[in-house]
Amino acid sequence: MTDSKYQGANDFQIKKLVITAYNGEQYNLINVFGSISIYQDLFANVMTADLTLVDASNLKSNLPILGHKEKVEIVYETPGFGVMQYTFYTYAIPERVVSNSSRNQSYKIKLISLEGYYNLKEQVSKSFTGSTDMMIQTIYTDYLSDGSKQLLIESPTITTNRRFVIPYWNPLYAINWLCARSLSSKNINACNYVFYERTNENEGKTEFVLNTIENLVDQEEKKSYTYRSPRLRKEFRDSRNIDYEFTNIHTINFLEEGDRLSELMGGRFAGTVLTHNIITQKYQEKTLEYINEFDKTKHLEKNYPIGKDNREWFSTFLDANYMYLPKHSFLHDSINDNDYNELWSLKRKSLMKSILSKKVTIETPGDSSITVGDVVYLDIPRIQAINKDTDDKDPTDSGRYLVIEVMHRITRLGYTTNLKLVRDSLPEPVATTSIGD
């Protein structure tokens, strides 16, 4: 880890690691940190982090470090990428171990973005009129933002005039509630909005984003990862192939291949919503069959996620997810239908359940350019014996995945990145013939 040259894919340089106590006193933590873990989650709204210190100077008492909103600044650089800057605030010290033999102590400090504190401090009590993306922008600007981070609306909502009264809700609860009711202006069937914090590799800092999952899965792959032995090379050479090591997966775990009972109860394949207009006293029943909805939105891959024979059968479970939702025509003057319950309720449940149907976690060399919302490609080998002329890439497990969680972990031994990946479709159709055919 020198200033001029990196020796391997797991190298890093910490340029700044400073804590500012509530009394204004600062301390450089570079020589006392044990590990840094930075977390991003597509469904968690704000970023968090863990910082472990090995303290032989009793900083916890002398600075002091109390977990009372102390400011922590982290600046680091990794091979091939620019400098990344994070600012977090402490909120807890859940673990502390004191050694009576070496006179030191180790403890974990839990950190969160400042917006996490603002979310608990502020209450939204206001009537909003307009499009839901502009409502979200207003809530973010007025209740969460301190001006240091931008909010990017990467998929605008429909411009139809709507009105909602937010009754003393926390800002993030209100934003998530509006996301669930938002319809994309690019595709009205894409009602899978998410609001999250991510890193911007070009600017080297974090930002907030409002986007649809449909828009995310339509991206080109940010990076391609390979699960092969790092010692396996097509050509022998004296030097290490750092580029190859940088995209090689250390470990991979398939967490879930799909829970069909959970998916049926959660409305992935079919569902029914009964709406009752309390003004006109009319009932309306609307059903959803995923087999008819699949081609109406974009997916990571082009093929349906289950076999041809079963897809029609699963779509018959219309009562496995049955909802009742009231409606109120002209609840607000000049707005006939403010809810659009029949448009978003079933589709959002189905789309959100679908994207999480297959989950994979991988550990790779540290890569600060990867963030939640990126699409990556996995090259996974077949779990079988093959001859040298056969492509060893598994046609089912390989393919495009969406990054929904990222953990950047820096220790004294190196820098790794852990990714949780998901997908909602398959690169090849499900086989309908037996192995022996």
Side-chain angles (χ1 to χ4, degrees):
M1 293 178 292
T2 64
D3 290 337
S4 60
K5 188 177 181 181
Y6 291 100
Q7 302 299 317
N10 287 48
D11 287 354
F12 65 94
Q13 284 186 326
I14 293 185
K15 296 182 174 295
K16 184 178 184 179
L17 182 57
V18 172
I19 187 168
T20 303
Y22 70 92
N23 58 12
E25 187 172 350
Q26 293 186 334
Y27 192 88
N28 187 342
L29 301 175
I30 288 180
N31 293 325
V32 298
F33 92 94
S35 66
I36 304 169
S37 298
I38 299 173
Y39 305 97
Q40 303 174 39
D41 190 328
L42 192 67
F43 305 108
N45 298 138
V46 299
M47 291 174 56
T48 59
D50 292 335
L51 173 63
T52 301
L53 302 181
V54 181
D55 178 10
S57 304
N58 202 18
L59 287 175
K60 187 178 183 305
S61 298
N62 294 333
L63 191 56
I65 301 174
L66 303 173
H68 293 174
K69 196 177 166 284
E70 291 94 352
K71 181 180 180 181
V72 176
E73 298 170 89
I74 304 170
V75 181
Y76 70 89
E77 186 176 7
T78 55
F81 303 105
V83 175
M84 299 303 300
Q85 305 175 53
Y86 299 92
T87 300
F88 293 105
Y89 292 83
T90 67
Y91 71 91
I93 305 178
E95 302 174 16
R96 183 161 70 103
V97 178
V98 178
S99 171
N100 58 8
S101 59
S102 57
R103 285 195 175 273
N104 66 29
Q105 57 183 337
S106 62
Y107 45 91
K108 178 188 291 184
I109 305 173
K110 300 194 78 64
L111 313 171
I112 193 169
S113 295
L114 184 60
E115 292 79 9
Y117 268 112
Y118 285 160
N119 179 56
L120 299 178
K121 180 177 182 290
E122 302 291 340
Q123 299 284 325
V124 182
S125 179
K126 188 176 180 180
S127 174
F128 295 89
T129 302
S131 61
T132 52
D133 56 355
M134 290 299 99
M135 296 179 193
I136 291 170
Q137 176 72 72
T138 299
I139 293 173
Y140 172 75
T141 302
D142 293 351
Y143 298 92
L144 290 175
S145 176
D146 64 353
S148 63
K149 301 174 187 176
Q150 62 179 337
L151 168 59
L152 297 180
I153 299 177
E154 296 194 337
S155 184
T157 64
I158 58 174
T159 57
T160 304
N161 213 29
R162 304 173 75 178
R163 180 176 294 177
F164 295 111
V165 177
I166 305 298
Y168 288 98
W169 287 346
N170 294 119
L172 289 178
Y173 184 90
I175 287 174
N176 291 331
W177 188 86
L178 289 168
C179 281
R181 287 153 179 78
S182 294
L183 305 172
S184 173
S185 62
K186 297 180 180 180
N187 179 4
I188 200 169
N189 294 290
C191 45
N192 46 7
Y193 273 90
V194 284
F195 176 89
Y196 58 98
E197 185 178 8
R198 72 178 181 193
T199 54
N200 184 322
E201 63 170 311
N202 296 321
E203 298 185 10
K205 58 184 181 180
T206 66
E207 62 192 6
F208 285 90
V209 179
L210 177 68
N211 208 345
T212 60
I213 290 177
E214 180 189 59
N215 207 35
L216 294 175
V217 302
D218 195 38
Q219 302 174 93
E220 295 294 324
E221 296 101 37
K222 181 77 167 285
K223 183 156 290 189
S224 179
Y225 292 102
T226 303
Y227 189 48
R228 301 291 192 282
S229 169
R231 302 291 182 183
L232 181 63
R233 305 171 187 172
K234 292 184 178 180
E235 298 179 3
F236 290 101
R237 54 172 64 88
D238 294 328
S239 60
R240 293 167 58 186
N241 187 343
I242 300 300
D243 291 338
Y244 180 81
E245 293 180 16
F246 197 69
T247 59
N248 195 65
I249 298 170
H250 294 168
T251 60
I252 184 168
N253 291 293
F254 291 88
L255 301 182
E256 187 173 322
E257 301 283 346
D259 182 334
R260 299 298 174 240
L261 294 182
S262 174
E263 290 169 356
L264 287 169
M265 291 186 290
R268 179 186 182 186
F269 296 109
T272 303
V273 60
L274 177 67
T275 59
H276 174 225
N277 192 316
I278 62 176
I279 298 299
T280 64
Q281 294 298 306
K282 290 184 178 180
Y283 289 89
Q284 182 182 8
E285 188 175 77
K286 184 175 178 62
T287 61
L288 176 140
E289 298 177 24
Y290 189 57
I291 189 173
N292 298 324
E293 298 291 326
F294 183 78
D295 292 331
K296 294 180 181 179
T297 56
K298 295 175 181 177
H299 304 275
L300 284 160
E301 302 286 5
K302 61 182 180 180
N303 290 290
Y304 201 80
I306 57 177
K308 182 178 180 180
D309 295 336
N310 281 333
R311 67 183 67 171
E312 294 183 3
W313 189 66
F314 281 127
S315 292
T316 64
F317 286 72
L318 295 172
D319 291 341
N321 184 263
Y322 197 100
M323 294 185 293
Y324 166 75
L325 295 173
K327 296 181 62 126
H328 194 309
S329 297
F330 296 104
L331 176 63
H332 303 286
D333 292 342
S334 75
I335 300 178
N336 179 20
D337 189 347
N338 194 53
D339 298 314
Y340 299 109
N341 288 334
E342 66 280 4
L343 288 180
W344 64 263
S345 56
L346 292 175
K347 289 181 179 180
R348 181 173 176 86
K349 273 194 168 187
S350 176
L351 291 170
M352 299 302 277
K353 199 72 176 176
S354 295
I355 194 62
L356 299 175
S357 61
K358 180 165 185 172
K359 304 185 184 76
V360 183
T361 60
I362 64 172
E363 181 184 279
T364 71
D367 185 350
S368 59
S369 71
I370 293 293
T371 188
V372 289
D374 285 339
V375 173
V376 298
Y377 186 91
L378 297 190
D379 180 357
I380 309 297
R382 297 173 186 263
I383 312 300
Q384 67 184 79
I386 58 172
N387 60 54
K388 64 178 182 179
D389 297 323
T390 302
D391 183 5
D392 74 335
K393 183 169 67 174
D394 189 290
T396 301
D397 290 333
S398 299
R400 289 162 50 86
Y401 288 81
L402 176 67
V403 180
I404 63 166
E405 292 182 21
V406 178
M407 180 183 74
H408 297 292
R409 181 170 174 80
I410 297 175
T411 69
R412 296 287 174 180
L413 300 177
Y415 171 31
T416 57
T417 297
N418 291 73
L419 306 178
K420 179 180 278 191
L421 313 172
V422 296
R423 73 174 180 192
D424 61 348
S425 47
L426 296 176
E428 299 291 339
V430 176
T432 57
T433 58
S434 66
I435 295 176
D437 289 343

